[in-house]
Structures are given as C-alpha cells and as structure tokens.
Amino acid sequence: QTQAFFTIGFAMLIAGERVKGFQIAALLLAASGLGWLMIHTNAEVTPLGLGLVLVAALSWASGNTVARAAGSVNMLSYVVWASVFSAPPLFALAMMFEGWPAFSGAVVHADAGAWAAVLWQSVGNTIFGYTAWAWLLARHPTATIAPLSLMVPVFGMGASAALLGEPLSDWKLTAAVLVLGGLALNTLWPILRRPRPA
C-alpha cells in the first residue's frame, strides 16, 4: 500500500499538486500504523521480496498517475481497454514461469470456488473497483483519494479473522486504529473546518 505515497509524490512532481499540513499529519499517522504492522511481521521478509513489492507499488502509482491525467473520460472503457492490453504480457509471463501444463491444468481442474474468485477479481475488483478508483482520482485531489487504499490491510486483517479464524491480536488492532485514525483525519478535517452557516 505504499503506492499511496508514491501516487501523492507523482502528483506533486508532475502535476504540481500541493499537500496541506493536515494531510501530511494524516499520512504520517496512517504510515505509523503500517510501520507498526511491519515491526510485527515475521523474519521471512527478504530484500528481493520487499523490492518487488515496492516496484509493484511504484507501478500502481504510475497507473494512478496516468488515469488521473486521462481526465473526465469514460473510466469503465478506460479500465476495460487497459485490461485488454495487460492480458498478453501476463499470459506470456505465466507461460514463461509456470508453463503450459500448469496453466491448462489450473483451468481444467478449477472448481466453483476458483471460478468465483476469478469472477470476483474480474468484475468486482477490476471492472467495478478500478473504475470507481480511477473516476475518484480524476475528480478529486490525489492526497484525498490515494490514502484510502491504506484500508486494504485493515480489511484484510478483518477478513482473515472472520473467514479464516486468524486472531486479531492487540498489535493488529493498534495498527488498524492508527491507519483508520489517519484516514479519518484526512477525510473529516476539511469538513470539520468548513464554516457553518449563521
């Protein structure tokens, strides 16, 4: 989720957007929650793995920057065409690293749960999720929208607790409170500071 910080950085460098003081405070508070999660991870994190994750975050931020620059276009069409262009390289990488037997076997032996996951990823996440995300980025300041993706780890912890029975330890709850506190500050501060009618 460091893409939020990369996206804001790109918006400042490329589009000249300015980040306000309360947004910096909100980002630091949310980042402290992510830092708290990182402190409590196990020792299996490798430099290569961390580097690949950061490159992925940088790629997502680059996509956000392009979507934002597209302006008020039909975002559903934008996401569909972007997905069409991403399919060939992903297929080539699957062939390169997994091979045809693994690829065809996964399709032939997929059960209802696997197809439900494919449907969720394609319709729920990609078509709806990325369309809404790109639409919001094109119409609102980057520092307002990009940090909302920091809710993903919080929802991930909640879903793993509800669906997989993973414990919600104190350190996970502390991290969630810090992240959600930062997002609440970022979202609600302008509303609270808005002048009220007499």
Side-chain angles (χ1 to χ4, degrees):
Q1 299 311 312
T2 54
Q3 68 80 23
F5 304 100
F6 287 131
T7 300
I8 293 169
F10 285 159
M12 293 171 69
L13 288 172
I14 296 170
E17 287 191 31
R18 301 187 68 173
V19 178
K20 299 177 181 174
F22 77 90
Q23 292 172 319
I24 293 171
L27 286 169
L28 290 173
L29 183 59
S32 69
L34 292 180
W36 193 248
L37 284 175
M38 290 172 58
I39 289 171
H40 288 86
T41 57
N42 57 30
E44 295 176 2
V45 178
T46 64
L48 175 61
L50 182 61
L52 289 172
V53 168
L54 290 175
V55 168
L58 191 62
S59 298
W60 186 6
S62 300
N64 288 339
T65 303
V66 172
R68 183 161 173 72
S72 298
V73 299
N74 183 324
M75 284 302 175
L76 177 59
S77 298
Y78 176 89
V79 168
V80 169
W81 280 106
S83 299
V84 168
F85 282 101
S86 67
L90 291 173
F91 181 81
L93 287 169
M95 292 300 100
M96 184 186 314
F97 288 102
E98 303 293 334
W100 178 252
F103 185 86
S104 60
V107 173
V108 170
H109 301 296
D111 59 8
W115 288 115
V118 169
L119 184 65
W120 170 253
Q121 289 293 336
S122 58
V123 177
N125 280 353
T126 303
I127 292 178
F128 174 74
Y130 283 122
T131 298
W133 182 253
W135 187 88
L136 287 168
L137 278 173
R139 287 161 177 80
H140 299 282
T142 304
T144 300
I145 301 302
L148 294 176
S149 67
L150 298 175
M151 285 192 289
V152 171
V154 176
F155 278 96
M157 290 187 300
S160 66
L163 302 175
L164 303 175
E166 290 187 12
L168 275 177
S169 56
D170 290 344
W171 65 267
K172 288 183 180 180
L173 293 173
T174 301
V177 167
L178 290 170
V179 170
L180 292 177
L183 296 179
L185 175 62
N186 194 48
T187 304
L188 299 177
W189 184 259
I191 297 170
L192 296 174
R193 297 288 294 171
R194 189 178 299 159
R196 299 186 181 186

